[in-house]
mmCIF file of all heavy atoms in Angstrom:
data_model
loop_
_atom_site.group_PDB
_atom_site.id
_atom_site.type_symbol
_atom_site.label_atom_id
_atom_site.label_comp_id
_atom_site.label_asym_id
_atom_site.label_seq_id
_atom_site.Cartn_x
_atom_site.Cartn_y
_atom_site.Cartn_z
ATOM 1 N N VAL A 413 0.828 -1.155 0.036
ATOM 2 C CA VAL A 413 -0.014 0.022 0.002
ATOM 3 C C VAL A 413 0.881 1.250 0.013
ATOM 4 O O VAL A 413 0.573 2.214 -0.723
ATOM 5 C CB VAL A 413 -0.954 -0.026 1.193
ATOM 6 C CG1 VAL A 413 -1.773 1.312 1.309
ATOM 7 C CG2 VAL A 413 -1.969 -1.218 1.063
ATOM 8 N N SER A 414 1.971 1.247 0.771
ATOM 9 C CA SER A 414 2.862 2.424 0.808
ATOM 10 C C SER A 414 3.563 2.566 -0.545
ATOM 11 O O SER A 414 3.730 3.740 -1.043
ATOM 12 C CB SER A 414 3.876 2.381 1.930
ATOM 13 O OG SER A 414 4.701 1.272 1.781
ATOM 14 N N LEU A 415 3.933 1.470 -1.203
ATOM 15 C CA LEU A 415 4.543 1.566 -2.506
ATOM 16 C C LEU A 415 3.564 2.169 -3.560
ATOM 17 O O LEU A 415 3.904 2.918 -4.414
ATOM 18 C CB LEU A 415 5.056 0.219 -3.006
ATOM 19 C CG LEU A 415 6.279 -0.339 -2.256
ATOM 20 C CD1 LEU A 415 6.531 -1.786 -2.666
ATOM 21 C CD2 LEU A 415 7.523 0.512 -2.503
ATOM 22 N N ARG A 416 2.280 1.798 -3.386
ATOM 23 C CA ARG A 416 1.230 2.330 -4.215
ATOM 24 C C ARG A 416 1.055 3.819 -4.022
ATOM 25 O O ARG A 416 0.993 4.601 -4.924
ATOM 26 C CB ARG A 416 -0.083 1.579 -4.002
ATOM 27 C CG ARG A 416 -1.320 2.174 -4.656
ATOM 28 C CD ARG A 416 -1.217 2.048 -6.179
ATOM 29 N NE ARG A 416 -2.373 2.615 -6.796
ATOM 30 C CZ ARG A 416 -2.377 3.833 -7.361
ATOM 31 N NH1 ARG A 416 -1.285 4.584 -7.366
ATOM 32 N NH2 ARG A 416 -3.454 4.324 -7.947
ATOM 33 N N ALA A 417 1.062 4.215 -2.766
ATOM 34 C CA ALA A 417 0.899 5.635 -2.418
ATOM 35 C C ALA A 417 2.033 6.518 -2.920
ATOM 36 O O ALA A 417 1.809 7.627 -3.316
ATOM 37 C CB ALA A 417 0.750 5.791 -0.893
ATOM 38 N N GLU A 418 3.268 5.983 -2.940
ATOM 39 C CA GLU A 418 4.408 6.745 -3.396
ATOM 40 C C GLU A 418 4.602 6.696 -4.928
ATOM 41 O O GLU A 418 5.470 7.353 -5.481
ATOM 42 C CB GLU A 418 5.697 6.378 -2.712
ATOM 43 C CG GLU A 418 6.193 4.998 -3.063
ATOM 44 C CD GLU A 418 7.425 4.579 -2.214
ATOM 45 O OE1 GLU A 418 7.507 4.949 -1.060
ATOM 46 O OE2 GLU A 418 8.235 3.798 -2.757
ATOM 47 N N GLY A 419 3.799 5.868 -5.594
ATOM 48 C CA GLY A 419 3.870 5.802 -7.041
ATOM 49 C C GLY A 419 4.767 4.719 -7.647
ATOM 50 O O GLY A 419 4.868 4.607 -8.846
ATOM 51 N N THR A 420 5.464 3.928 -6.789
ATOM 52 C CA THR A 420 6.252 2.833 -7.311
ATOM 53 C C THR A 420 5.394 1.738 -7.891
ATOM 54 O O THR A 420 5.773 1.119 -8.847
ATOM 55 C CB THR A 420 7.125 2.280 -6.161
ATOM 56 O OG1 THR A 420 7.942 3.336 -5.656
ATOM 57 C CG2 THR A 420 8.037 1.156 -6.640
ATOM 58 N N ILE A 421 4.225 1.576 -7.356
ATOM 59 C CA ILE A 421 3.218 0.611 -7.891
ATOM 60 C C ILE A 421 2.147 1.469 -8.523
ATOM 61 O O ILE A 421 1.481 2.252 -7.850
ATOM 62 C CB ILE A 421 2.634 -0.334 -6.809
ATOM 63 C CG1 ILE A 421 3.710 -1.261 -6.274
ATOM 64 C CG2 ILE A 421 1.461 -1.101 -7.347
ATOM 65 C CD1 ILE A 421 3.262 -2.197 -5.179
ATOM 66 N N ALA A 422 1.928 1.236 -9.821
ATOM 67 C CA ALA A 422 0.894 1.994 -10.519
ATOM 68 C C ALA A 422 -0.496 1.347 -10.339
ATOM 69 O O ALA A 422 -1.532 2.035 -10.237
ATOM 70 C CB ALA A 422 1.225 2.067 -12.026
ATOM 71 N N VAL A 423 -0.561 0.019 -10.333
ATOM 72 C CA VAL A 423 -1.808 -0.682 -10.218
ATOM 73 C C VAL A 423 -1.531 -1.858 -9.210
ATOM 74 O O VAL A 423 -0.547 -2.628 -9.400
ATOM 75 C CB VAL A 423 -2.255 -1.303 -11.558
ATOM 76 C CG1 VAL A 423 -3.544 -2.062 -11.432
ATOM 77 C CG2 VAL A 423 -2.466 -0.160 -12.579
ATOM 78 N N LEU A 424 -2.368 -1.980 -8.238
ATOM 79 C CA LEU A 424 -2.259 -3.049 -7.206
ATOM 80 C C LEU A 424 -3.599 -3.806 -7.206
ATOM 81 O O LEU A 424 -4.642 -3.241 -6.898
ATOM 82 C CB LEU A 424 -1.948 -2.451 -5.867
ATOM 83 C CG LEU A 424 -1.732 -3.462 -4.723
ATOM 84 C CD1 LEU A 424 -0.611 -4.392 -4.988
ATOM 85 C CD2 LEU A 424 -1.508 -2.653 -3.402
ATOM 86 N N CYS A 425 -3.546 -5.081 -7.563
ATOM 87 C CA CYS A 425 -4.740 -5.907 -7.666
ATOM 88 C C CYS A 425 -4.650 -7.094 -6.754
ATOM 89 O O CYS A 425 -4.020 -8.110 -7.151
ATOM 90 C CB CYS A 425 -4.937 -6.372 -9.110
ATOM 91 S SG CYS A 425 -5.126 -5.045 -10.335
ATOM 92 N N PRO A 426 -5.296 -7.077 -5.577
ATOM 93 C CA PRO A 426 -5.390 -8.358 -4.812
ATOM 94 C C PRO A 426 -6.200 -9.322 -5.621
ATOM 95 O O PRO A 426 -7.121 -8.954 -6.349
ATOM 96 C CB PRO A 426 -6.125 -7.830 -3.573
ATOM 97 C CG PRO A 426 -5.919 -6.382 -3.465
ATOM 98 C CD PRO A 426 -5.832 -5.938 -4.893
ATOM 99 N N VAL A 427 -5.870 -10.606 -5.483
ATOM 100 C CA VAL A 427 -6.508 -11.665 -6.222
ATOM 101 C C VAL A 427 -7.159 -12.632 -5.242
ATOM 102 O O VAL A 427 -6.486 -13.080 -4.293
ATOM 103 C CB VAL A 427 -5.476 -12.393 -7.158
ATOM 104 C CG1 VAL A 427 -6.145 -13.551 -7.840
ATOM 105 C CG2 VAL A 427 -4.908 -11.387 -8.138
ATOM 106 N N ALA A 428 -8.413 -13.004 -5.461
ATOM 107 C CA ALA A 428 -9.101 -13.942 -4.663
ATOM 108 C C ALA A 428 -8.720 -15.390 -5.115
ATOM 109 O O ALA A 428 -9.366 -15.939 -5.979
ATOM 110 C CB ALA A 428 -10.626 -13.796 -4.699
ATOM 111 N N SER A 429 -7.647 -15.911 -4.567
ATOM 112 C CA SER A 429 -7.110 -17.190 -5.007
ATOM 113 C C SER A 429 -6.358 -17.886 -3.862
ATOM 114 O O SER A 429 -5.838 -17.201 -2.960
ATOM 115 C CB SER A 429 -6.178 -16.980 -6.178
ATOM 116 O OG SER A 429 -5.379 -18.131 -6.455
ATOM 117 N N ASP A 430 -6.324 -19.199 -3.858
ATOM 118 C CA ASP A 430 -5.571 -19.866 -2.835
ATOM 119 C C ASP A 430 -4.086 -19.970 -3.189
ATOM 120 O O ASP A 430 -3.268 -20.288 -2.335
ATOM 121 C CB ASP A 430 -6.093 -21.340 -2.680
ATOM 122 C CG ASP A 430 -7.484 -21.414 -2.056
ATOM 123 O OD1 ASP A 430 -7.848 -20.427 -1.328
ATOM 124 O OD2 ASP A 430 -8.201 -22.353 -2.370
ATOM 125 N N THR A 431 -3.745 -19.641 -4.407
ATOM 126 C CA THR A 431 -2.336 -19.747 -4.864
ATOM 127 C C THR A 431 -1.700 -18.434 -5.255
ATOM 128 O O THR A 431 -0.508 -18.377 -5.421
ATOM 129 C CB THR A 431 -2.256 -20.764 -6.037
ATOM 130 O OG1 THR A 431 -3.067 -20.256 -7.108
ATOM 131 C CG2 THR A 431 -2.664 -22.139 -5.646
ATOM 132 N N LEU A 432 -2.447 -17.381 -5.399
ATOM 133 C CA LEU A 432 -1.968 -16.086 -5.859
ATOM 134 C C LEU A 432 -2.492 -14.959 -4.998
ATOM 135 O O LEU A 432 -3.716 -14.910 -4.883
ATOM 136 C CB LEU A 432 -2.308 -15.874 -7.336
ATOM 137 C CG LEU A 432 -1.816 -14.605 -7.975
ATOM 138 C CD1 LEU A 432 -0.298 -14.587 -8.093
ATOM 139 C CD2 LEU A 432 -2.462 -14.428 -9.356
ATOM 140 N N ALA A 433 -1.644 -14.186 -4.363
ATOM 141 C CA ALA A 433 -2.115 -13.083 -3.503
ATOM 142 C C ALA A 433 -2.538 -11.875 -4.291
ATOM 143 O O ALA A 433 -3.429 -11.140 -3.901
ATOM 144 C CB ALA A 433 -1.054 -12.749 -2.479
ATOM 145 N N GLY A 434 -1.754 -11.608 -5.420
ATOM 146 C CA GLY A 434 -2.142 -10.405 -6.162
ATOM 147 C C GLY A 434 -1.168 -10.110 -7.253
ATOM 148 O O GLY A 434 -0.213 -10.854 -7.405
ATOM 149 N N VAL A 435 -1.452 -9.047 -7.959
ATOM 150 C CA VAL A 435 -0.589 -8.574 -9.068
ATOM 151 C C VAL A 435 -0.315 -7.110 -8.827
ATOM 152 O O VAL A 435 -1.223 -6.347 -8.491
ATOM 153 C CB VAL A 435 -1.308 -8.781 -10.428
ATOM 154 C CG1 VAL A 435 -0.531 -8.172 -11.570
ATOM 155 C CG2 VAL A 435 -1.592 -10.266 -10.683
ATOM 156 N N ALA A 436 0.965 -6.730 -8.972
ATOM 157 C CA ALA A 436 1.313 -5.345 -8.871
ATOM 158 C C ALA A 436 2.041 -4.932 -10.154
ATOM 159 O O ALA A 436 2.935 -5.616 -10.568
ATOM 160 C CB ALA A 436 2.229 -5.129 -7.679
ATOM 161 N N ILE A 437 1.616 -3.808 -10.781
ATOM 162 C CA ILE A 437 2.296 -3.279 -11.939
ATOM 163 C C ILE A 437 3.094 -2.122 -11.416
ATOM 164 O O ILE A 437 2.541 -1.165 -10.898
ATOM 165 C CB ILE A 437 1.321 -2.840 -13.023
ATOM 166 C CG1 ILE A 437 0.512 -4.055 -13.493
ATOM 167 C CG2 ILE A 437 2.025 -2.149 -14.171
ATOM 168 C CD1 ILE A 437 -0.569 -3.755 -14.491
ATOM 169 N N MET A 438 4.434 -2.251 -11.540
ATOM 170 C CA MET A 438 5.334 -1.272 -10.980
ATOM 171 C C MET A 438 5.885 -0.319 -12.020
ATOM 172 O O MET A 438 5.862 -0.681 -13.220
ATOM 173 C CB MET A 438 6.502 -1.987 -10.227
ATOM 174 C CG MET A 438 6.004 -2.900 -9.121
ATOM 175 S SD MET A 438 7.347 -3.731 -8.278
ATOM 176 C CE MET A 438 7.440 -2.782 -6.813
ATOM 177 N N THR A 439 6.296 0.796 -11.634
ATOM 178 C CA THR A 439 6.809 1.836 -12.485
ATOM 179 C C THR A 439 8.317 1.933 -12.622
ATOM 180 O O THR A 439 8.852 2.898 -13.079
ATOM 181 C CB THR A 439 6.265 3.256 -12.052
ATOM 182 O OG1 THR A 439 6.752 3.525 -10.717
ATOM 183 C CG2 THR A 439 4.753 3.275 -12.038
ATOM 184 N N VAL A 440 8.948 0.858 -12.152
ATOM 185 C CA VAL A 440 10.410 0.872 -12.101
ATOM 186 C C VAL A 440 10.885 -0.316 -12.989
ATOM 187 O O VAL A 440 10.130 -1.256 -13.317
ATOM 188 C CB VAL A 440 10.916 0.697 -10.682
ATOM 189 C CG1 VAL A 440 10.542 1.878 -9.832
ATOM 190 C CG2 VAL A 440 10.417 -0.616 -10.033
ATOM 191 N N PRO A 441 12.196 -0.348 -13.373
ATOM 192 C CA PRO A 441 12.722 -1.437 -14.149
ATOM 193 C C PRO A 441 12.602 -2.775 -13.408
ATOM 194 O O PRO A 441 12.563 -2.781 -12.135
ATOM 195 C CB PRO A 441 14.177 -1.018 -14.367
ATOM 196 C CG PRO A 441 14.225 0.413 -14.187
ATOM 197 C CD PRO A 441 13.175 0.729 -13.211
ATOM 198 N N SER A 442 12.587 -3.868 -14.144
ATOM 199 C CA SER A 442 12.376 -5.183 -13.507
ATOM 200 C C SER A 442 13.415 -5.507 -12.444
ATOM 201 O O SER A 442 13.075 -6.103 -11.399
ATOM 202 C CB SER A 442 12.268 -6.251 -14.536
ATOM 203 O OG SER A 442 13.409 -6.315 -15.335
#
């Protein structure tokens, strides 16, 4: 959430899954 607030994460998507917590699209190199 703090990375999202500072702009490092552009999109943060929690996922309702037993095997995947979420997806984050970041604004920095891999």
Side-chain angles (χ1 to χ4, degrees):
V413 174
S414 63
L415 290 172
R416 172 68 181 98
E418 70 186 30
T420 302
I421 293 177
V423 179
L424 182 59
C425 300
V427 176
S429 167
D430 292 335
T431 58
L432 182 68
V435 174
I437 298 176
M438 301 179 102
T439 61
V440 297
S442 57

